[in-house]
Amino acid sequence: MKDRTITVSVSGSGGSGAVTIGLVLLKSIANVGFYGYMSRSSGPQIRGGESSVILSFSDHPIERNADGIDLHFALDWRGFERFSDEIALNSDSCVIFDSSHDTLPDMVAKIGANIIEVNLKEQVKQIKESLPNSFAIGILAAQIGLPLESVFKALQQTLHQKDEAFIKDTIRAIEAGYTLLEESPSLISDWQPSSQSRWNISGNEACGLGALRGGIRLVAAYPITPASDIVEYLAPRLEKVGGTVLIAEDELAAMNMVIGGSFGGKASMTATSGPGVSLMTEAMGLAVASETPALVVNVMRGGPSTGIPTKSEQSDLNQALFGMHGEAPHIVVAPLSIADTVSATQWAVGLAEAMQTLVILLSNQRLGQSRAIVDAVPAKTYELQRKVLAEESAEPYERYAVTEDSISPMAIPGNKQGLYTAEGLEHTDAGKPSSMASDHLQQLRKRESKVAQFDYKDEWAEILTSGKRSRAIVLTWGSTFGSVKESVMELNREGMAIDLLALRLLMPLRVDAIKELCEDKQVIVVEQSYSGQFYHYCLGQGAIGASSLSLAEAGPLMLKKSDIKHFIKEALL
Amino acid sequence: MRDMIQEAFTAKDYLSDIRPIWCPGCGHFFILRALAQAFAWLKLPNEQIGLISGIGCSSRIPAYINAYGFHGVHGRALALATGLKAARPDMHVVVAGGDGDGYSIGGNHFIHACRRNMDMTYIVMDNEVYGMTKGQPSPTTEPDWESKFAPHGTGIRTFNPLGVALASGASFIARGFAGDPNGLTKLIIEAIEHKGFSLVEIKSPCVTFRPDEKEWSKTMRKMNMVPTDDVLEAAGKIHGSDGLDTGIFYQATLPVFEPHSTKEKTVADFEKEFEV
Ligand SMILES: Cc1ncc(C[n+]2csc(CCOP(=O)(O)OP(=O)(O)O)c2C)c(N)n1
Ligand code: SF4
Ligand SMILES: [Mg+2]
């Protein structure tokens, strides 16, 4: 464990409790002062299908799974082949499995990992209300070196609603599991506990919190995997801070509801995934044309069409950038990690409000549905507010008046001075429908210039420089940031000088700033799409040169650190 | 039904100075007038009116009314209005549009707006044709009406908006006629005053693409319906009508969807949930 990270995976068929084990272990590691990250994967069944979690633990913040698995627990082997891509067992892995159901599958046997069999059926017989997964928790805790108290505390935090007898027996089962195998050296004995205040949060929860911080007061949505968790997080909370969640009949409705709420003066958003965005697209253009602030969160999954609903990809970038008809300048923002999702979402709300336009936030399944122990994210003040017409304004009101910053004050219904009709038709500065070339050009310029000249400050990207004269710079965006960052940092430690530029602001593209950072360096663009959408976008905009290289891999498997490192090394040979 | 009394507010206070794009003689003019008259009678503060529409000749109406308006995209006016009403329960939300906008492309929103029964009024300016796109058959067009789009007629039976509204849970269902301005104004007033989702389906001749609809001034029966709050009775009236009856078919007190929110918590309270 030279980089002080351990990775543990758990798999099992439906109801076996792999996810519960993951949640308890994640909380346990948090209880002893460390960090962790848990991604989850499930088969196509709605309930009762196989599921798995992969946990990576460390004594420093970690927001990705390591390439290899140190320890795997198979509650049973049913459906394991579905995860064999994700759960990358190797000859260094230790595999523990419950032999009371089935024997070791050939595909695992031939890997040559260290195999430990346990018979949990036997164990369960001895403790009345116990479940196999409680023994598994004990076994894994012992293997990792987690103190039992941290696990019991985590158990209490997880099972708070269950009855006492059950908890008692579960504790006994965990204790029994803890001592079941031969004592092994703790994997975390030399780790330094953190003194930071930390959070246990998923990416979708982080998005919800960012929305609350940003002042969202209306959410309208139609359920879709993997975005529904955002709405489920917000539904019971938003109504307690003066807001509302509307259940829309479809995404066409959701987007229009968002526009209606925002027109009424309340910051509004929706959360969806690719298919939903496809349905929202017409109204997204309306938000742009009518200059109504609106936030659309797209938690991307594999596409096209219904695609891979439960897994991740970054392949809706082109849709977010170019999906609308006509010329519809808008903002596209992407969070770089779970922790970053809190502030990126808050920022996205602010950008929509301040510029009175559409903002698309591109998260994805991996970012949204993974959970991590992160340092608490302090609230930021972006000072991004909607410019509204004063109640006492005396001048004749022109809703789409061309101003210096191209943002015109918006009248909020109820203001006597600001009666106007918001328009999706091209219009004059007073908001009167017009098909005149001069009006069209004036309003095209206005809508374009307000987003082009806006000051995005330092938020537009995360920039890591090697501190030396770097030969190369890696350009990436969104959830691939975690893997790319670790790869680049390791290469720098190995003596290569490489910079990293991770974009939070994808549209408008900061072409000049990117060019400056990339100057005289080999540019390597890393992303999770089959066709290299991000690479082609940067190339097309002239932000990077023709000698730039593209590492583009389709989802749903996470880009491996080793592959990224290998690609960079090859590129710089 | 109340009598019309001259009030201090007049229709003029609610009409903007933008000249409608409509063809001379279009039924939509009469609906605009009746709407302004209804606002005046109710003395609604202009700034508390939100007039929401989609796309079509009819949907141009917000620009002609002096209030807050939204001319959105085709078929989605009810959804946009739902967002507005949820965010701003203090606003008087009125939605207006055509038969194509509301019953065809926006059909799903129509059903769900009825179901939600939010306190808003929906005015459908039904000319049984797509006027704006120059004369294609709509869901309310008779199956044998011949047009370029459907040379032998659609062969599809007409949509029954009042029946669908009743089945979907709307609590106020009326039919009006553009050619009966007084009756129409009264209907709109009643609809706006009604607490819940009120549908006023108005027969409005498209003189350009359906000149035959000029006949309506002879055939439509003026305000001959007596309201009922009994669903079965209303169903009988709606399905028994030949489409020429006007008035309130159904008016009942039904649960109104109103989002209720409190301010009992702050965002900081929710942040604590994440602490380990
Ligand atoms: C998405 C979309 N599809 C089609 C159109 C073209 N379109 C504009 S108005 C209209 C029909 C309008 O008919 P109706 O709602 O009955 O209004 P009317 O013009 O008859 O008053 C259509 C099909 C459009 N604007 N948007
Ligand atoms: S085309 Fe028909 S509906 Fe449109 S304005 Fe002319 S008469 Fe009215
Ligand atoms: Mg029509």
Side-chain angles (χ1 to χ4, degrees):
Chain A
M1 306 314 130
K2 48 188 180 318
D3 66 348
R4 294 214 294 236
T5 298
I6 50 174
T7 297
V8 178
S9 52
V10 186
S11 66
S13 58
S16 59
V19 176
T20 309
I21 296 174
L23 290 171
V24 171
L25 291 178
L26 189 68
K27 284 191 174 136
S28 308
I29 207 86
N31 289 340
V32 283
F34 300 131
Y35 296 86
Y37 169 87
M38 178 177 113
S39 62
R40 56 209 275 182
S41 182
S42 50
Q45 285 87 346
I46 307 306
R47 257 234 149 97
E50 55 284 348
S51 61
S52 73
V53 292
I54 308 177
L55 297 125
S56 289
F57 302 130
S58 185
D59 64 350
H60 55 266
I62 176 167
E63 279 212 24
R64 56 177 292 279
N65 283 131
D67 290 356
I69 303 285
D70 298 310
L71 191 58
H72 178 70
F73 200 112
L75 292 156
D76 56 63
W77 291 110
R78 254 169 290 156
F80 180 76
E81 62 283 354
R82 287 191 204 275
F83 302 125
S84 54
D85 284 351
E86 282 140 270
I87 299 179
L89 300 175
N90 56 52
S91 56
D92 292 333
S93 308
C94 172
V95 174
I96 306 172
F97 80 100
D98 183 358
S99 58
S100 51
H101 299 283
D102 29 26
T103 53
L104 188 69
D106 283 348
M107 62 178 292
V108 179
K110 67 174 188 243
I111 292 168
N114 173 26
I115 306 287
I116 302 172
E117 290 186 25
V118 290
N119 188 325
L120 294 187
K121 210 180 208 163
E122 285 300 312
Q123 298 295 323
V124 167
K125 274 190 206 147
Q126 289 165 34
I127 300 174
K128 206 170 81 208
E129 291 239 31
S130 67
L131 296 169
N133 62 358
S134 307
F135 292 94
I137 290 173
I139 293 167
L140 286 169
Q143 294 291 308
I144 296 164
L146 280 166
L148 267 177
E149 311 79 69
S150 71
V151 182
F152 294 154
K153 194 174 158 199
L155 190 75
Q156 241 118 32
Q157 292 161 334
T158 314
L159 302 177
H160 35 76
Q161 75 281 32
K162 296 260 169 76
D163 68 278
E164 242 166 73
F166 175 77
I167 292 190
K168 236 175 160 176
D169 287 338
T170 302
I171 287 177
R172 281 179 60 205
I174 292 176
E175 280 172 337
Y178 203 75
T179 50
L180 195 63
L181 299 182
E182 241 172 77
E183 216 173 296
S184 63
S186 165
L187 301 176
I188 57 174
S189 56
D190 60 338
W191 289 11
Q192 293 301 315
S194 165
S195 54
Q196 296 283 323
S197 66
R198 283 156 306 129
W199 284 357
N200 181 336
I201 192 168
S202 77
N204 280 343
E205 288 169 349
C207 179
L209 176 61
L212 290 172
R213 281 183 173 176
I216 286 289
R217 286 295 173 268
L218 184 112
V219 174
Y222 186 80
I224 189 166
T225 304
S228 298
D229 321 343
I230 296 175
V231 184
E232 288 170 0
Y233 171 78
L234 285 170
R237 293 175 178 82
L238 194 57
E239 64 183 15
K240 296 193 181 75
V241 293
T244 299
V245 172
L246 281 177
I247 303 166
E249 53 270 29
D250 54 35
E251 285 88 350
L252 305 147
M255 189 62 215
N256 282 279
M257 287 171 173
V258 165
I259 294 172
S262 182
F263 170 71
K266 303 287 161 77
S268 305
M269 69 172 264
T270 183
T272 186
S273 191
V277 177
S278 293
L279 290 188
M280 290 177 181
T281 309
E282 187 195 22
M284 285 160 61
L286 176 62
V288 174
S290 66
E291 302 200 43
T292 310
L295 173 63
V296 174
V297 175
N298 176 357
V299 186
M300 293 179 287
R301 56 197 227 177
S305 189
T306 310
I308 314 179
T310 53
K311 295 187 181 179
S312 206
E313 204 162 60
Q314 292 183 315
S315 48
D316 296 347
L317 176 64
N318 280 345
Q319 182 197 40
L321 297 170
F322 309 118
M324 280 170 280
H325 63 273
E327 285 167 299
H330 61 285
I331 313 295
V332 181
V333 167
L336 300 172
S337 66
I338 292 174
D340 192 50
T341 305
V342 180
S343 301
T345 309
Q346 187 191 342
W347 188 51
V349 178
L351 294 176
E353 289 291 308
M355 278 181 272
Q356 300 175 20
T357 193
L358 169 75
V359 177
I360 301 171
L361 182 109
L362 289 179
S363 174
N364 59 26
Q365 186 274 335
R366 181 165 300 111
L367 208 49
Q369 296 197 314
S370 296
R371 175 170 287 287
I373 309 299
V374 301
D375 286 330
V377 185
K380 297 212 179 166
T381 36
Y382 293 110
E383 317 253 344
L384 296 171
Q385 257 106 39
R386 197 184 289 198
K387 202 195 269 186
V388 296
L389 182 76
E391 296 274 344
E392 58 282 358
S393 161
E395 270 147 60
Y397 180 55
E398 295 196 323
R399 169 64 185 100
Y400 302 108
V402 176
T403 60
E404 203 177 325
D405 59 4
S406 294
I407 302 167
S408 19
M410 191 168 168
I412 305 303
N415 183 346
K416 285 189 181 54
Q417 309 305 321
L419 307 182
Y420 81 101
T421 293
E423 260 305 342
L425 279 175
E426 191 56 285
H427 42 260
T428 65
D429 38 15
K432 192 175 172 230
S434 166
S435 57
M436 301 245 304
S438 54
D439 290 324
H440 186 41
L441 191 60
Q442 179 201 57
Q443 293 294 313
L444 279 173
R445 281 198 180 126
K446 173 190 196 296
R447 292 188 292 260
E448 194 262 341
S449 106
K450 70 176 177 181
V451 302
Q453 63 171 291
F454 195 81
D455 181 4
Y456 298 93
K457 309 236 167 81
D458 292 339
E459 306 300 329
W460 72 278
E462 214 50 50
I463 304 165
L464 301 175
T465 50
S466 68
K468 296 180 220 132
R469 267 184 80 89
S470 293
R471 280 176 61 200
I473 180 164
V474 183
L475 191 52
T476 193
W477 72 280
S479 66
T480 46
F481 173 64
S483 299
V484 173
K485 182 179 160 190
E486 285 209 22
S487 309
V488 168
M489 280 171 34
E490 277 183 25
L491 289 171
N492 279 330
R493 262 181 264 138
E494 288 168 24
M496 297 177 89
I498 300 165
D499 295 345
L500 168 61
L501 170 58
L503 299 191
R504 209 174 269 120
L505 181 71
L506 293 156
M507 186 178 246
L509 196 66
R510 306 279 81 193
V511 173
D512 291 338
I514 297 170
K515 260 164 107 171
E516 200 181 306
L517 288 162
C518 294
E519 198 164 13
D520 299 329
K521 291 175 199 134
Q522 173 63 54
V523 177
I524 298 161
V525 182
V526 182
E527 67 190 290
Q528 185 133 57
S529 76
Y530 177 72
S531 62
Q533 297 181 14
F534 181 52
Y535 170 78
H536 290 290
Y537 173 52
C538 293
L539 206 59
Q541 298 280 309
I544 59 173
S547 63
S548 305
L549 297 170
S550 163
L551 171 57
E553 265 181 32
L557 294 184
M558 188 190 68
L559 270 165
K560 282 202 165 84
K561 187 171 70 177
S562 52
D563 292 344
I564 299 169
K565 282 175 72 177
H566 180 75
F567 187 91
I568 298 172
K569 280 182 181 165
E570 290 281 301
L572 299 182
L573 269 185
Chain B
M1 194 122 325
R2 64 191 85 231
D3 290 321
M4 300 299 302
I5 322 157
Q6 195 57 38
E7 293 287 334
F9 283 78
T10 68
K12 265 189 86 174
D13 297 316
Y14 294 90
L15 292 168
S16 80
D17 47 19
I18 298 181
R19 216 179 53 155
I21 58 160
W22 298 324
C23 313
C26 173
H28 298 348
F29 279 109
F30 301 90
I31 300 173
L32 170 64
R33 187 89 207 161
L35 184 61
Q37 218 119 36
F39 288 149
W41 200 92
L42 291 164
K43 297 189 215 151
L44 299 186
N46 302 60
E47 70 277 8
Q48 288 299 129
I49 300 169
L51 180 56
I52 312 301
S53 74
I55 297 293
C57 298
S58 38
S59 291
R60 287 292 190 124
I61 200 166
Y64 311 144
I65 288 281
N66 205 18
Y68 280 91
F70 209 122
H71 185 207
V73 290
H74 193 29
R76 318 291 165 211
L78 284 168
L80 199 146
T82 301
L84 173 61
K85 187 68 188 177
R88 293 291 304 276
D90 60 308
M91 295 290 291
H92 299 282
V93 176
V94 178
V95 185
D99 42 317
D101 193 76
Y103 304 149
S104 193
I105 192 167
N108 196 30
H109 310 308
F110 177 52
I111 292 172
H112 292 279
C114 292
R115 261 186 73 216
R116 254 179 225 110
N117 195 34
M118 282 175 101
D119 189 14
M120 60 174 74
T121 296
Y122 184 30
I123 291 172
V124 182
M125 302 150 86
D126 183 0
N127 50 15
E128 302 181 1
V129 74
Y130 293 165
M132 176 136 275
T133 46
K134 304 198 189 318
Q136 297 82 14
S138 88
T140 48
T141 306
E142 316 84 291
D144 58 353
W145 185 72
E146 291 170 6
S147 61
K148 285 193 208 160
F149 226 65
H152 319 294
T154 61
I156 306 169
R157 56 181 291 174
T158 54
F159 181 79
N160 183 337
L162 307 196
V164 171
L166 186 71
S168 308
S171 54
F172 179 109
I173 299 170
R175 185 188 293 122
F177 174 44
D180 175 18
N182 282 338
L184 189 55
T185 307
K186 283 181 195 163
L187 277 185
I188 296 173
I189 291 170
E190 296 278 338
I192 292 175
E193 289 200 311
H194 173 78
K195 174 110 176 127
F197 186 82
S198 47
L199 168 70
V200 188
E201 135 86 20
I202 305 165
K203 290 293 169 193
S204 177
C206 170
V207 293
T208 303
F209 298 107
R210 297 294 310 263
D212 50 312
E213 289 174 351
K214 289 182 195 158
E215 283 297 300
W216 282 347
S217 57
K218 293 188 202 122
T219 54
M220 294 290 298
R221 293 172 211 108
K222 287 183 185 170
M223 301 296 278
N224 60 325
M225 296 311 295
V226 181
T228 174
D229 63 357
D230 183 276
V231 177
L232 290 179
E233 198 186 327
K237 287 181 177 200
I238 288 169
H239 291 284
S241 173
D242 58 1
L244 303 172
D245 302 304
T246 63
I248 302 169
F249 284 70
Y250 176 68
Q251 181 170 15
T253 308
L254 297 179
V256 171
F257 173 70
E258 285 169 309
H260 32 78
S261 60
T262 62
K263 290 196 174 157
E264 64 198 77
K265 297 249 166 150
T266 65
V267 177
D269 294 329
F270 299 133
E271 290 175 1
K272 290 200 188 83
E273 297 169 7
F274 297 120
E275 287 170 8
V276 297

